[in-house]
């Protein structure tokens, strides 16, 4: 049996090369699960969603989390904060139509700066249901008021009316992936390089990607690009009864918007990891996906999703493994779209049933899109252990 690392290298290269040949350069310049996924989100890191999570934390409760502020260094975390003129939302579809039936909305006050450079903000959580949940607006019943945790300080937790807990503040980025190796690999493929080389060849990796001697796998080390970096997290632990009921399957996604003179302007949207980044090709398509709603995904993204899956299947077959039939590709595209985290409330199964912080989502998605031929990126765990109690995400570096 070939080693997992060699299989990663060979099939990873073929996947990138096949996809580039089939649909162009865009989809596999992966910038994290959703870190810096489109031009629009680069306006302000504080409204750039890196990842949402939804997972069972007891038989009757589910925890929802959304992270922003990607790739924040420990030094920059000292003064990190949420945008005062932003609206952060977690949407819940309870009947499978990819339209929000429940929305949890979070806004932050102006910040208080302390002598050590840290700051905190008051946050308010509102809950909206029905038609109001579908809109982007600051409405709903107030269910929690709290204060963000200061970097290096104690963990502040607020109670949620009707049961539950709320947290906001800096946390370790729980996403783990060897982004650097994949970015170099893709750049070298686009530059026409064909020599595979070997992984972790540091001398060769020092070459420019367009150097004729550059080898494709040399920069792939299996190192976690996000190790040592932080995010700003919003975490809500809620009774299942407030989300649709234990045993019921719901769809969950996060959005951010900023306040303008003409109203709220959507900036980012995310459900499952990497869907927008991988399956949309142009910057315009990526921005469009952030502006529309999940119910629109099959009409706006289905063709490109099928194209990417078809290209990956073709190169898997070329490598001697079993690919997908067109019918299977269509079915997988319909699983991936609409882009929502589907979770059966009270069920402890991991990704694709919701998403736990410890789930290796990249491995699962690689296996899914390559029919099990590619099963690992070489990074299999977060760099910090997760907490056993709320807010569960590890403390920041």
């Amino acid at each position: 049996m070939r080693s997992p690392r060699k299989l990663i290298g060979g099939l990873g290269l073929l996947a990138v090369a096949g996809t580039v040949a089939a649909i162009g350069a865009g989809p596999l310049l992966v910038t994290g699960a959703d870190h810096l996924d489109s031009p629009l989100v680069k306006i302000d890191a504080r409204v750039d969603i890196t990842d949402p999570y939804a997972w069972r934390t007891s038989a009757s409760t589910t925890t929802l989390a959304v992270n922003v502020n990607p790739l924040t260094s420990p030094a920059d975390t000292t003064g990190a904060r949420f945008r005062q003129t932003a609206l952060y939302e977690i949407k819940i579809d309870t009947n499978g139509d990819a339209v929000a039936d429940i929305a949890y909305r979070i806004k932050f006050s102006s910040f208080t700066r302390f002598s050590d450079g840290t700051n905190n903000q008051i946050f308010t959580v509102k809950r909206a249901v029905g038609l109001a949940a579908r809109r982007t607006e600051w409405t709903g019943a107030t269910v929690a008021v709290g204060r963000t945790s200061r970097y290096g300080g104690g963990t502040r937790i607020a109670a949620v009316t009707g049961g539950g807990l709320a947290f906001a503040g800096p946390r370790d980025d729980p996403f783990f992936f060897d982004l650097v190796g994949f970015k170099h690999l893709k750049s070298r493929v686009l530059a026409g390089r064909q020599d595979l080389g070997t992984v972790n060849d540091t001398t060769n990796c020092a070459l420019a990607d367009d150097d004729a001697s550059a080898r494709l796998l040399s920069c792939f080390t299996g190192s976690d690009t996000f190790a040592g970096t932080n995010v700003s997290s919003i975490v809500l632990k809620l009774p299942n009864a407030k989300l649709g009921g234990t045993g019921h399957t719901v769809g969950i996604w996060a959005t951010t918007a900023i306040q303008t003179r003409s109203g709220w302007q959507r900036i980012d949207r995310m459900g499952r990891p990497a869907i927008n980044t991988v399956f949309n090709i142009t910057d315009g398509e990526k921005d469009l996906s952030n502006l529309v709603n999940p119910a629109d995904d099959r009409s706006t993204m289905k063709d490109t999703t099928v194209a990417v899956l078809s290209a990956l299947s073709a190169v898997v077959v070329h490598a001697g493994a079993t690919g997908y039939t067109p019918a299977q590709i269509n079915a997988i595209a319909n699983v991936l779209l609409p882009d929502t985290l589907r979770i059966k409330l009270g069920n402890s199964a991991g990704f694709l049933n919701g998403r736990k912080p410890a789930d290796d989502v990249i491995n699962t998605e690689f296996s899914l899109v390559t029919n099990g031929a590619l099963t690992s990126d070489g990074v299999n765990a977060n760099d910090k252990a997760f907490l056993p109690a709320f807010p569960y995400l590890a403390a920041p570096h």
Side-chain angles (χ1 to χ4, degrees), residues 103-116:
Y104 282 88
R105 295 172 170 143
I106 305 95
K107 276 185 94 276
F108 294 85
S109 72
S110 57
F111 64 96
T112 300
R113 178 63 56 85
F114 296 88
S115 59
D116 61 358

Side-chain angles (χ1 to χ4, degrees), residues 85-99:
T85 57
L87 180 61
Y88 302 83
E89 293 190 272
I90 301 175
K91 305 271 198 177
I92 301 100
D93 162 32
T94 62
N95 59 10
D97 63 358
V99 174

Side-chain angles (χ1 to χ4, degrees), residues 96-392:
D97 63 358
V99 174
D101 300 295
I102 302 169
Y104 282 88
R105 295 172 170 143
I106 305 95
K107 276 185 94 276
F108 294 85
S109 72
S110 57
F111 64 96
T112 300
R113 178 63 56 85
F114 296 88
S115 59
D116 61 358
T118 63
N119 59 70
N120 66 20
Q121 298 167 275
I122 295 172
F123 67 87
T124 302
V125 183
K126 290 182 180 289
R127 183 178 188 269
V129 298
L131 291 175
R134 302 179 185 182
R135 298 189 288 267
T136 300
E137 58 187 23
W138 183 232
T139 61
T142 298
V143 295
V145 177
R147 190 175 291 274
T148 61
S149 295
R150 291 166 60 187
Y151 180 54
T155 302
R156 292 178 174 269
I157 298 172
V160 177
T161 301
L165 303 170
F167 165 89
R171 295 281 97 181
D172 160 69
D173 189 343
F175 185 60
F176 44 97
F177 178 46
D178 183 1
L179 169 62
V180 173
F182 275 87
K183 287 181 69 174
H184 279 288
L185 185 151
K186 173 191 172 285
S187 295
R188 293 180 176 195
V189 168
L190 295 178
R193 307 286 74 82
Q194 295 181 344
D195 188 351
L196 281 174
T198 58
V199 300
N200 208 17
D201 177 358
T202 56
T203 301
N204 187 269
C205 185
L207 298 174
D209 289 339
D210 59 358
D211 190 306
S213 300
R215 295 171 180 172
L216 298 171
L217 303 181
S218 302
C219 301
F220 187 86
T221 65
S223 298
D224 180 8
T225 302
F226 304 94
T229 68
N230 300 321
V231 290
S232 298
S233 301
I234 299 167
V235 189
L236 303 177
K237 182 177 181 179
L238 300 166
N240 291 343
K242 297 294 185 179
L243 301 173
T246 299
H248 193 70
T249 297
V250 300
I252 292 171
W253 65 98
T255 67
T256 57
I258 59 174
Q259 199 166 26
T260 69
R261 291 181 179 179
S262 58
W264 291 102
Q265 170 63 60
R266 171 87 60 77
I267 298 296
D268 204 359
R269 171 176 71 95
M270 186 181 177
R272 290 196 178 108
I275 297 299
N276 187 2
T277 305
V278 173
F279 293 109
N280 280 315
I281 299 171
T282 68
D283 285 345
E285 288 168 342
K286 293 175 183 178
D287 276 336
L288 176 62
S289 283
N290 286 329
L291 295 175
V292 301
N293 296 311
D296 302 310
D297 285 342
R298 287 182 183 167
S299 63
T300 58
M301 287 184 62
K302 179 73 174 288
D303 289 346
T304 55
T305 301
V306 168
V308 172
L309 291 171
S310 298
L312 291 170
S313 183
V315 297
V316 165
V317 170
H318 182 75
T322 302
Y324 287 120
T325 67
Q328 289 172 324
I329 288 171
N330 188 70
I332 293 169
N334 285 334
V335 168
L336 297 175
L337 303 174
D339 181 15
T340 67
L341 273 174
R342 301 284 292 170
I343 180 171
K344 186 174 182 178
L345 300 174
N347 190 305
S348 60
F351 191 71
L352 297 161
N353 179 64
R355 180 184 180 186
K356 303 173 185 175
D359 286 341
D360 195 333
V361 296
I362 294 297
N363 285 0
T364 301
E365 291 189 339
F366 278 173
S367 182
L368 176 65
V369 300
T370 64
N371 200 16
L374 177 60
T375 59
S376 176
D377 70 327
V379 182
N380 300 315
N382 191 44
D383 61 320
K384 292 191 74 173
F386 297 110
L387 304 179
F390 188 84
Y392 303 110

Side-chain angles (χ1 to χ4, degrees), residues 14-70:
L14 288 171
V16 173
T19 301
V20 168
I23 58 175
L28 291 178
L29 180 54
V30 179
T31 48
D34 204 53
H35 304 57
L36 302 172
D37 73 305
S38 77
L40 191 61
V41 302
K42 296 175 185 177
I43 292 173
D44 188 337
R46 295 172 297 176
V47 290
D48 179 2
I49 300 170
T50 68
D51 298 272
Y53 297 83
W55 74 99
R56 177 191 188 273
T57 40
S58 77
S60 61
T61 62
T62 297
T63 294
L64 311 177
V66 56
N67 296 332
V68 297
N69 260 340

